[in-house]
Short mmCIF file of all heavy atoms in Angstrom, two decimals:
data_model
loop_
_atom_site.label_atom_id
_atom_site.label_comp_id
_atom_site.label_asym_id
_atom_site.label_seq_id
_atom_site.Cartn_x
_atom_site.Cartn_y
_atom_site.Cartn_z
N GLN A 145 8.02 43.36 58.50
CA GLN A 145 8.71 44.62 58.98
C GLN A 145 9.45 44.21 60.30
O GLN A 145 10.55 44.67 60.46
CB GLN A 145 7.84 45.82 59.12
CG GLN A 145 7.40 46.38 57.81
CD GLN A 145 6.28 47.42 57.99
OE1 GLN A 145 5.91 47.74 59.08
NE2 GLN A 145 5.94 47.98 56.84
N ALA A 146 8.86 43.42 61.20
CA ALA A 146 9.42 42.94 62.35
C ALA A 146 10.57 41.97 62.04
O ALA A 146 11.53 41.91 62.85
CB ALA A 146 8.33 42.25 63.25
N PHE A 147 10.55 41.27 60.90
CA PHE A 147 11.64 40.33 60.65
C PHE A 147 12.91 41.00 60.15
O PHE A 147 13.91 40.42 60.28
CB PHE A 147 11.21 39.33 59.68
CG PHE A 147 10.07 38.42 60.05
CD1 PHE A 147 9.13 37.85 59.09
CD2 PHE A 147 9.94 37.98 61.40
CE1 PHE A 147 8.09 37.13 59.56
CE2 PHE A 147 8.94 37.09 61.77
CZ PHE A 147 8.08 36.63 60.86
N VAL A 148 12.78 42.17 59.52
CA VAL A 148 13.96 42.83 58.91
C VAL A 148 15.08 42.98 59.99
O VAL A 148 16.27 42.58 59.56
CB VAL A 148 13.53 44.23 58.31
CG1 VAL A 148 14.79 45.03 57.94
CG2 VAL A 148 12.50 44.01 57.13
N PRO A 149 14.89 43.48 61.20
CA PRO A 149 16.01 43.49 62.03
C PRO A 149 16.72 42.17 62.16
O PRO A 149 17.90 41.98 62.36
CB PRO A 149 15.49 44.07 63.34
CG PRO A 149 14.32 44.80 62.89
CD PRO A 149 13.81 44.08 61.73
N LEU A 150 15.95 41.08 62.36
CA LEU A 150 16.49 39.72 62.52
C LEU A 150 17.30 39.30 61.36
O LEU A 150 18.31 38.74 61.43
CB LEU A 150 15.30 38.75 62.74
CG LEU A 150 14.56 38.97 64.06
CD1 LEU A 150 13.34 38.09 64.04
CD2 LEU A 150 15.37 38.69 65.31
N PHE A 151 16.76 39.62 60.09
CA PHE A 151 17.53 39.21 58.83
C PHE A 151 18.73 40.01 58.84
O PHE A 151 19.84 39.45 58.43
CB PHE A 151 16.59 39.63 57.61
CG PHE A 151 15.32 38.75 57.51
CD1 PHE A 151 14.31 39.35 56.76
CD2 PHE A 151 15.22 37.57 58.18
CE1 PHE A 151 13.15 38.53 56.56
CE2 PHE A 151 14.09 36.76 57.90
CZ PHE A 151 13.02 37.34 57.21
N GLU A 152 18.82 41.25 59.15
CA GLU A 152 19.95 42.11 59.10
C GLU A 152 21.06 41.59 60.08
O GLU A 152 22.19 41.43 59.76
CB GLU A 152 19.62 43.61 59.41
CG GLU A 152 18.88 44.33 58.31
CD GLU A 152 18.53 45.74 58.74
OE1 GLU A 152 18.48 45.94 60.03
OE2 GLU A 152 18.23 46.56 57.81
N LYS A 153 20.62 41.27 61.19
CA LYS A 153 21.45 40.68 62.24
C LYS A 153 22.13 39.38 61.80
O LYS A 153 23.35 39.22 61.86
CB LYS A 153 20.78 40.48 63.58
CG LYS A 153 21.62 39.96 64.71
CD LYS A 153 20.83 39.89 65.96
CE LYS A 153 21.72 39.35 67.11
NZ LYS A 153 21.40 38.12 67.70
N GLU A 154 21.24 38.52 61.32
CA GLU A 154 21.81 37.21 60.81
C GLU A 154 22.82 37.38 59.66
O GLU A 154 23.89 36.74 59.58
CB GLU A 154 20.66 36.28 60.30
CG GLU A 154 20.07 35.56 61.49
CD GLU A 154 18.97 34.55 61.04
OE1 GLU A 154 19.14 34.01 59.95
OE2 GLU A 154 18.04 34.34 61.70
N ALA A 155 22.45 38.27 58.72
CA ALA A 155 23.33 38.56 57.57
C ALA A 155 24.63 39.18 58.04
O ALA A 155 25.71 38.76 57.56
CB ALA A 155 22.62 39.52 56.61
N SER A 156 24.58 40.19 58.94
CA SER A 156 25.76 40.72 59.37
C SER A 156 26.72 39.78 60.12
O SER A 156 27.89 39.78 59.95
CB SER A 156 25.44 41.85 60.37
OG SER A 156 24.77 42.91 59.65
N GLU A 157 26.12 38.94 60.94
CA GLU A 157 26.90 37.95 61.67
C GLU A 157 27.59 36.93 60.69
O GLU A 157 28.80 36.55 60.82
CB GLU A 157 26.06 37.13 62.68
CG GLU A 157 25.64 38.00 63.85
CD GLU A 157 24.70 37.36 64.77
OE1 GLU A 157 24.15 36.23 64.36
OE2 GLU A 157 24.26 37.91 65.77
N TYR A 158 26.81 36.49 59.69
CA TYR A 158 27.35 35.51 58.67
C TYR A 158 28.49 36.22 57.91
O TYR A 158 29.55 35.59 57.75
CB TYR A 158 26.19 35.13 57.67
CG TYR A 158 26.75 34.39 56.49
CD1 TYR A 158 26.95 33.03 56.52
CD2 TYR A 158 26.89 35.07 55.29
CE1 TYR A 158 27.48 32.39 55.53
CE2 TYR A 158 27.35 34.34 54.23
CZ TYR A 158 27.62 33.04 54.33
OH TYR A 158 28.14 32.31 53.17
N PHE A 159 28.34 37.42 57.44
CA PHE A 159 29.35 38.07 56.65
C PHE A 159 30.64 38.39 57.54
O PHE A 159 31.76 38.32 57.05
CB PHE A 159 28.94 39.40 55.99
CG PHE A 159 27.90 39.05 54.86
CD1 PHE A 159 26.59 39.65 54.90
CD2 PHE A 159 28.17 38.12 53.85
CE1 PHE A 159 25.69 39.33 53.85
CE2 PHE A 159 27.31 37.86 52.87
CZ PHE A 159 26.02 38.47 52.84
N GLU A 160 30.40 38.63 58.84
CA GLU A 160 31.50 38.92 59.70
C GLU A 160 32.32 37.65 59.86
O GLU A 160 33.53 37.67 59.93
CB GLU A 160 30.92 39.38 61.04
CG GLU A 160 32.05 39.74 62.07
CD GLU A 160 32.91 40.96 61.68
OE1 GLU A 160 32.31 41.83 61.00
OE2 GLU A 160 34.03 40.96 62.07
N ARG A 161 31.62 36.52 60.12
CA ARG A 161 32.27 35.22 60.25
C ARG A 161 33.01 34.86 58.96
O ARG A 161 34.09 34.37 59.01
CB ARG A 161 31.30 34.09 60.58
CG ARG A 161 30.90 34.00 62.06
CD ARG A 161 30.13 32.64 62.31
NE ARG A 161 29.16 32.34 61.32
CZ ARG A 161 27.82 32.71 61.43
NH1 ARG A 161 27.44 33.52 62.38
NH2 ARG A 161 26.96 32.27 60.49
N LYS A 162 32.43 35.06 57.77
CA LYS A 162 32.99 34.69 56.55
C LYS A 162 34.15 35.51 56.03
O LYS A 162 35.15 35.07 55.50
CB LYS A 162 31.88 34.50 55.51
CG LYS A 162 32.28 34.05 54.14
CD LYS A 162 31.25 33.03 53.71
CE LYS A 162 31.66 32.47 52.38
NZ LYS A 162 32.15 31.14 52.27
N PHE A 163 33.96 36.85 56.22
CA PHE A 163 34.98 37.74 55.61
C PHE A 163 35.66 38.69 56.51
O PHE A 163 36.50 39.42 56.15
CB PHE A 163 34.21 38.66 54.53
CG PHE A 163 33.48 37.83 53.42
CD1 PHE A 163 32.12 37.71 53.45
CD2 PHE A 163 34.40 37.25 52.54
CE1 PHE A 163 31.67 36.94 52.44
CE2 PHE A 163 33.76 36.43 51.49
CZ PHE A 163 32.34 36.35 51.51
#
Side-chain angles (χ1 to χ4, degrees):
Q145 289 172 358
F147 295 147
V148 169
L150 297 171
F151 295 155
E152 288 176 342
K153 182 178 182 241
E154 281 187 27
S156 295
E157 290 172 356
Y158 171 80
F159 292 124
E160 181 68 30
R161 278 193 315 272
K162 184 136 178 110
F163 300 108

